[in-house]
Amino acid sequence: MSLSIDIVPLTNSLDMYGPPDTCSAYSLSGHVAISVKPHYSLFERRSAIRLLLQSLCLTFEGQTEIVTPKIGYSATRLCCVTRELITEEPVELNNEGEDDLVGPCVWNVVFNLPIPGWLPQTSVIGVDKVGVKYVLHATAKFEVINDHQSGSGWGLATLCNTFRPRVRSVNTRKQILLRRYVAAPSTEPLIPPVVTYCINALMSSTYSGKNGIPTEILEKIEVIATVPEFVNVKDSLVPVTVRMRTRGLDAAECKRLQVTEIVTDITQKEKYRCRPSNTYLAMYPVPPKNRQPPNEPLLEPNPISDIYECGFASMGGSSSDVDARTVSFLPPDESGKYQFSKGNYVFADDATPREVPTWYTMEITVPFITQKAANVKDTQEWLDAALLPSITTPLYNITHEVAFSITCSYDVPGTEGESLNECFVFRIPIFMVHAPPTMPIPRCLTPPPSLCASRMMSDASSVPVSSQTLPPYSQLYDYNGERKIDYSIPLPLYEPSHGMPSSSLIDLEADASLAKSALL
């Protein structure tokens, strides 16, 4: 007899919505399939399977791992949720009374685990496939009741059963994909709101002394950038709006300023740590240090951890506890540079008094890709660079930015063709997220109100239309789901049908008198 178990969740993924929240929890449901396949030989008698299931334990474990050139390998346990499904006495499983004693028998044990709502989503980093991973483990302990009756004589199986432990165990695991969406699903497409940033031109300028624009002019230039609050990682463009104007600058100075070019880029910044950050530990209930590896090893660590533990790979080439890199995700055929035509004096009329000030507006779409080609100079750990959602974990953070570089030119008064150039460089954070799928619109069982009204008016224009509403559920059914009965309304009195013949009434009276005499 062989016993195996399999974890069958209700859905292929565990979906969470909104930002991480320590006050929320999600349900991970499904069943554990216990399959028993009997094994018979020519010398054995077929009999029913009887086994005693003593324990069926589920453990949901989350972990985060990193591998970088400077740090090496590091891991942290995110959570550990354990649930014993056999809570009272052991459960006997048997197939007595079944017609088929040869085929496998399957029992399903349902489960429902509460999963914390603050967990980061599943992510895969690098060629070593580290990152954030969640695995559901199941362990069953059982005892075969009729093992001693499996054979009538001596044999090799009987000898092996003598040394085999009475309580056996089997285990299995199932990787769970945890996805976090920025919002709950809806029938309407998700349109992200926009965020506006005011840029200090003087602070963002790369002031170059005598060859740059004077500070008294720079401090009167206003720059505003508007970006979406979040961007779907499955998109390919980021819409950006940049507005510029001068405020309080003389008319003569306004006519000497022009915008020559703008350069854009979209970057992913990855920062790794060898140990969990104190900020993260203060925000989320991560298991304590005594439950972290190596004090308590992970149930399913990445295979690369064995290489570092055995000493075949060094734990980093330097003593630094932090490692980081920045990757640009502009397409290879895009430079991100937009050159304006000469004589682009966009601030020439800013000094003219107006009720509503005018802005020089630049609407830009920044393209991006999801997979970065490997660089020859990159080390083995940095070969793979994929665009990931913005995420914060105990060991690493992934953030995204849109970088701008706006070049302005200033004509020096009293010279012929001499100009001073200044570059404004600034970065605006954006959030790469997973947008929820659009739900299909439910089918309407009744025609639209406009059609109903038109048909009623055309069919019976003189009949008044009255709207009908169903009564509340609580008025029809009680809390057990039984239909309510109004006992205040008496039942109607029984009356014989008026169409019954008189002869039938006489027969009924006769039968009633006979029945009464029989009773007496």
Side-chain angles (χ1 to χ4, degrees):
M1 182 192 69
S2 62
L3 184 144
S4 62
I5 59 176
D6 185 25
I7 301 174
V8 184
L10 288 179
T11 57
N12 297 326
S13 63
L14 179 60
D15 297 339
M16 297 185 179
Y17 305 98
D21 185 10
T22 57
C23 298
S24 64
Y26 292 79
S27 174
L28 177 61
S29 304
H31 68 269
V32 179
I34 304 175
S35 178
V36 180
K37 184 177 182 181
H39 176 71
Y40 300 104
S41 65
L42 298 176
F43 305 99
E44 293 180 345
R45 177 175 56 87
R46 295 182 179 180
S47 60
I49 298 174
R50 294 184 61 205
L51 57 88
L52 200 62
L53 185 62
Q54 296 185 352
S55 173
L56 182 57
C57 185
L58 290 179
T59 300
F60 177 84
E61 184 178 75
Q63 62 197 47
T64 174
E65 302 168 290
I66 62 168
V67 176
T68 68
K70 292 183 180 180
I71 298 175
Y73 173 81
S74 183
T76 297
R77 177 179 281 104
L78 289 172
C79 70
C80 186
V81 179
T82 303
R83 177 67 58 86
E84 175 62 53
L85 301 183
I86 309 299
T87 57
E88 298 180 355
E89 297 180 354
V91 179
E92 180 181 345
L93 305 179
N94 63 76
N95 65 341
E96 294 179 353
E98 297 290 336
D99 296 333
D100 186 12
L101 297 179
V102 181
C105 302
V106 180
W107 292 270
N108 295 331
V109 182
V110 298
F111 66 87
N112 183 16
L113 297 179
I115 306 302
W118 58 267
L119 295 175
Q121 59 190 333
T122 302
S123 62
V124 180
I125 300 176
V127 294
D128 298 314
K129 306 302 180 182
V130 294
V132 177
K133 182 174 66 173
Y134 300 94
V135 182
L136 182 60
H137 304 263
T139 302
K141 295 181 180 180
F142 66 97
E143 179 182 354
V144 180
I145 299 177
N146 58 343
D147 224 11
H148 62 280
Q149 303 174 353
S150 59
S152 59
W154 184 89
L156 182 60
T158 305
L159 180 63
C160 293
N161 287 336
T162 305
F163 301 98
R164 183 182 299 174
R166 294 180 59 86
V167 179
R168 312 173 194 176
S169 65
V170 293
N171 54 72
T172 186
R173 61 180 180 268
K174 186 82 170 184
Q175 191 163 340
I176 303 298
L177 175 63
L178 195 153
R179 299 183 298 187
R180 183 172 293 279
Y181 294 101
V182 67
S186 176
T187 56
E188 298 291 336
L190 183 62
I191 300 177
V194 296
V195 182
T196 301
Y197 295 87
C198 297
I199 311 301
N200 191 326
L202 182 60
M203 298 297 295
S204 61
S205 63
T206 57
Y207 185 65
S208 55
K210 296 181 179 180
N211 297 326
I213 300 176
T215 57
E216 59 270 14
I217 297 178
L218 290 177
E219 63 185 7
K220 295 181 180 180
I221 299 177
E222 296 182 352
V223 182
I224 292 179
T226 302
V227 297
E229 186 175 338
F230 52 84
V231 179
N232 189 2
V233 292
K234 295 183 179 181
D235 292 341
S236 59
L237 297 173
V238 179
V240 180
T241 302
V242 179
R243 296 179 176 87
M244 301 180 66
R245 74 171 184 179
T246 60
R247 186 175 184 180
L249 192 63
D250 296 339
E253 302 291 347
C254 292
K255 296 179 181 179
R256 298 189 180 101
L257 281 173
Q258 60 176 320
V259 180
T260 58
E261 71 174 11
I262 181 172
V263 181
T264 61
D265 191 7
I266 181 168
T267 59
Q268 176 174 285
K269 299 180 68 175
E270 305 171 7
K271 184 178 180 180
Y272 301 90
R273 294 175 293 271
C274 66
R275 61 181 60 89
S277 64
N278 295 329
T279 304
Y280 194 91
L281 296 178
M283 293 177 59
Y284 303 107
V286 179
K289 189 176 182 180
N290 59 350
R291 296 204 58 194
Q292 297 294 343
N295 299 327
E296 183 178 339
L298 299 174
L299 297 180
E300 190 182 2
N302 192 286
I304 199 173
S305 63
D306 298 333
I307 301 177
Y308 283 88
E309 290 179 359
C310 296
F312 294 107
S314 60
M315 295 301 293
S318 64
S319 59
S320 176
D321 294 340
V322 179
D323 201 354
R325 70 167 174 173
T326 301
V327 184
S328 172
F329 280 91
L330 274 180
D333 55 347
E334 287 284 346
S335 63
K337 181 183 293 187
Y338 303 90
Q339 193 80 30
F340 298 99
S341 59
K342 294 183 179 180
N344 190 28
Y345 296 95
V346 296
F347 309 113
D349 299 332
D350 281 4
T352 304
R354 293 186 179 88
E355 294 183 1
V356 179
T358 59
W359 293 82
Y360 175 61
T361 304
M362 296 173 284
E363 294 184 352
I364 309 165
T365 54
V366 184
F368 63 88
I369 56 177
T370 57
Q371 194 73 27
K372 185 71 173 180
N375 194 341
V376 180
K377 297 181 181 179
D378 290 341
T379 59
Q380 181 67 23
E381 291 82 356
W382 286 147
L383 280 179
D384 190 19
L387 183 66
L388 301 173
S390 303
I391 187 174
T392 300
T393 71
L395 296 181
Y396 66 91
N397 298 341
I398 296 180
T399 58
H400 301 85
E401 293 177 336
V402 177
F404 296 90
S405 176
I406 304 176
T407 303
C408 294
S409 177
Y410 174 74
D411 297 337
V412 180
T415 61
E416 296 182 1
E418 184 180 353
S419 61
L420 303 176
N421 295 326
E422 197 68 48
C423 186
F424 307 109
V425 179
F426 55 95
R427 296 176 176 271
I428 297 178
I430 59 173
F431 294 94
M432 288 289 180
V433 299
H434 284 296
T438 304
M439 297 177 60
I441 300 176
R443 295 179 59 185
C444 184
L445 300 179
T446 58
S450 58
L451 296 179
C452 293
S454 61
R455 290 174 182 174
M456 290 178 181
M457 293 299 293
S458 60
D459 296 341
S461 57
S462 60
V463 178
V465 180
S466 60
S467 61
Q468 297 181 357
T469 57
L470 294 176
Y473 179 87
S474 59
Q475 294 183 5
L476 299 178
Y477 302 92
D478 57 14
Y479 63 93
N480 289 326
E482 300 291 339
R483 185 178 180 86
K484 286 186 175 181
I485 300 175
D486 191 0
Y487 293 99
S488 61
I489 302 177
L491 294 176
L493 297 176
Y494 172 76
E495 296 180 359
S497 177
H498 297 286
M500 182 178 296
S502 58
S503 59
S504 299
L505 293 175
I506 297 172
D507 295 340
L508 289 175
E509 292 177 355
D511 293 340
S513 60
L514 290 175
K516 184 176 181 182
S517 61
L519 291 174
L520 296 174

